[in-house]
Amino acid sequence: MEFTTIKGFRDILPDEISYWQFLENEARKLFEVYGFKEIRTPILEKTELFKRSIGQETDIVSKEMYTFQDSKGRSLSLRPEATASVVRAYIQNRLYQKGGIQKLYSIGPMFRHERPQKGRFRQFHQINVEEFGDPGPITDAEQIIMIMELFNRIGLSDDLSLNINSLGCPRCRPSFREKLKSYLENKREELCSDCKRRSELNPLRVFDCKVESCKKTLQDAPIILDFLCEDCKEHFSSVQKLLNEFGIEFVVNPGLVRGLDYYTRTAFEVLTEELGAQNAIAGGGRYDGLVKLLGGPDHPAIGFAIGMERTIELLRKKRRIDERSPDLFIAALGEEARKIAFSNAIRLRKKGIWVEMEYEDKGLKAQMRRADKLNSKKVLIIGEEEIKKKNAILRDMRTGEQKEIDLNRIEVEI
Ligand code: HAM
């Protein structure tokens, strides 16, 4: 019997790991200069946490969660996203008592039982950013500037577009909701069965529908931007002004509602045309009411998540990120030379030099072939003659140059 991964889950193999590490490293470096610190939360949480924060009527909660009961009958779920968990951790660990702004990021797997397709998996990874404590538009703009800078640094900025919208606040959204609801009631016959249900329970979700007839029905629907209260309007216009000031291009898309219920005010998505139907590579926004909703203080918050699989797929299309290769391959000829090679390998690795060697008794040709395959930058040849002179031959594999060196001076020479 051969065991394989389950549907929608996959191995990330050594061949592609250089892309993953590159993306993670660039994100960490950038987030740190913006003052973000890493947080790691559990993958498993109480189901209720996700129901309360993401929303009962969202696709994520109503059909995509991996939920099961443990032996005590408690309902647990694999996290479908990170925001709910980070907010829980913020409240549970009283991070707000530290005062000021809390800036957190995390990287890890998420789980959604969606129909797998290109760019859509059941286990996928996100780079996730959350910031607590600042209600102002500068923070919104700053996060958007930061995420676009990350895409710029990794060389993807030409392939992406930024969509933004404002989803209003509890003061102005209800009137939009009512207006949308009555619009949808009149168009009920044109809606798919999912949207018929959504239009009653959570009408904003209709904007997420992928069914063509529903999309068409929405073309003349009321838009949230016409319903924003003065404060939300001003907030949104300040965000746009700042983005313009810093040369960030964007499109205001009033149909952008995000698939999670906790958002307020600014919402944004980074899209690409290169990946087919799964075109969102990142998304986020403000969620000023969530900390309080989950039992914490009334603290505003904003964040985003980058889909790593999609970003990496795009990276692989656009550029090559070379795998690391050994600094040195030691080709030893004969038992005695192998012993010397081995102790030198251990010594050099302590100094941070990547050394490979052959442990079996093989000829020079075979060893050179292996050094070549490993793409080693240099090869050190140690034979009987060389041992007598306490010397070795160092060959530069790029230029083909060779020279005799003192065995004690290897690290200086490379
Ligand atoms: P989201 O839009 O649900 O937001 O997910 C963010 C990104 O994760 C998407 O743009 C996409 O790139 C990636 N993604 C989502 N589902 C899948 C999947 N099945 N397979 C592959 N990639 C996927 C959130 O999760 C929010 N928690 C973001 C946020 C953080 N908002 C505030 N803070």
Side-chain angles (χ1 to χ4, degrees), residues 194-343:
D194 270 350
C195 282
K196 281 195 179 105
R197 195 173 48 87
R198 289 176 183 136
S199 65
E200 277 159 29
L201 297 164
N202 194 347
L204 260 74
R205 292 274 72 79
V206 175
F207 283 99
D208 288 336
C209 188
K210 301 279 186 292
V211 178
E212 275 312 317
S213 55
C214 293
K215 281 196 202 165
K216 216 167 143 215
T217 305
L218 281 172
Q219 274 170 5
D220 301 318
I223 60 169
I224 178 98
L225 295 177
D226 294 334
F227 290 80
L228 296 183
C229 60
E230 281 310 311
D231 288 349
C232 286
K233 235 185 243 170
E234 193 175 322
H235 187 100
F236 193 44
S237 107
S238 303
V239 173
Q240 294 180 61
K241 239 184 250 157
L242 282 161
L243 294 179
N244 282 326
E245 225 171 89
F246 286 89
I248 306 283
E249 284 175 35
F250 59 87
V251 176
V252 175
N253 174 3
L256 172 70
V257 292
R258 310 278 299 126
L260 309 93
D261 280 353
Y262 48 62
Y263 290 108
T264 52
R265 296 195 164 168
T266 314
F268 56 96
E269 257 170 11
V270 181
L271 307 170
T272 172
E273 285 178 3
E274 305 269 333
L275 299 179
Q278 302 310 316
N279 62 350
I281 72 168
R286 201 164 256 294
Y287 49 95
D288 288 343
L290 185 58
V291 179
K292 186 157 183 229
L293 179 77
L294 295 183
D298 192 3
H299 283 184
I302 176 167
F304 64 78
I306 298 172
M308 295 186 75
E309 278 76 4
R310 293 181 195 172
T311 307
I312 285 164
E313 196 181 335
L314 199 55
L315 267 177
R316 289 172 72 113
K317 275 183 155 197
K318 296 288 155 186
R319 57 182 287 186
R320 235 184 90 98
I321 290 165
D322 286 331
E323 283 175 43
R324 277 193 62 211
S325 61
D327 301 307
L328 182 71
F329 185 93
I330 310 182
L333 302 166
E335 175 103 33
E336 189 54 29
R338 259 202 311 284
K339 271 190 202 152
I340 293 171
F342 186 63
S343 66

Side-chain angles (χ1 to χ4, degrees), residues 36 90 95-96 98-104 130-133:
F36 285 83
Y90 178 75
L95 298 183
Y96 50 85
K98 290 178 190 286
I101 311 291
Q102 288 295 314
K103 301 182 190 186
L104 306 169
E130 313 293 355
E131 180 168 351
F132 299 92

Side-chain angles (χ1 to χ4, degrees), residues 50-56 58 60-61 80-81 259-262:
F50 301 119
K51 282 193 181 165
R52 282 289 288 267
S53 44
I54 300 168
Q56 201 69 267
T58 57
I60 297 179
V61 168
E81 58 114 42
L260 309 93
D261 280 353
Y262 48 62

